[in-house]
Amino acid sequence: MSHEYYRRGKNWFTAIGIMFCVMGGIVLIQQLLIWGIEFVIDFMVNGEITNEKVSVAMIGFGVFMVALGFRKHDQKR
């Protein structure tokens, strides 16, 4: 094996990030199918904390975790 090859190993940041994105996406799709686009947009812009806002926050956190998982690691020698 080349000395330049870096094996990432188990990356749980990316796995957790993808899980959060999938869970947030499922809730948004469910709400869109039940209520329709107009009601979902109304729920997004009102002043209350709703499922749609939590789902968007989950997707944002998931993207952050995936980005954190793809950062460069220093190889230990």
Side-chain angles (χ1 to χ4, degrees):
M1 203 178 293
S2 173
H3 69 279
E4 296 176 4
Y5 176 75
Y6 173 67
R7 183 177 169 151
R8 293 184 57 145
K10 295 181 181 177
N11 186 355
W12 68 273
F13 287 111
T14 304
I16 296 295
I18 291 172
M19 183 189 69
F20 269 88
C21 289
V22 168
M23 289 172 58
I26 288 172
V27 172
L28 279 180
I29 291 170
Q30 177 187 7
Q31 295 298 329
L32 283 171
L33 291 175
I34 292 173
W35 295 104
I37 188 80
E38 297 87 16
F39 283 110
V40 172
I41 291 175
D42 288 340
F43 288 140
M44 294 284 278
V45 296
N46 67 7
E48 299 175 3
I49 297 175
T50 58
N51 288 339
E52 291 79 10
K53 292 177 187 174
V54 173
S55 296
V56 170
M58 286 177 64
I59 291 171
F61 182 73
V63 169
F64 172 73
M65 291 293 285
V66 168
L68 194 64
F70 282 122
R71 68 182 172 178
K72 297 288 183 183
H73 297 285
D74 294 332
Q75 187 173 7
K76 296 178 183 177
R77 293 183 182 217

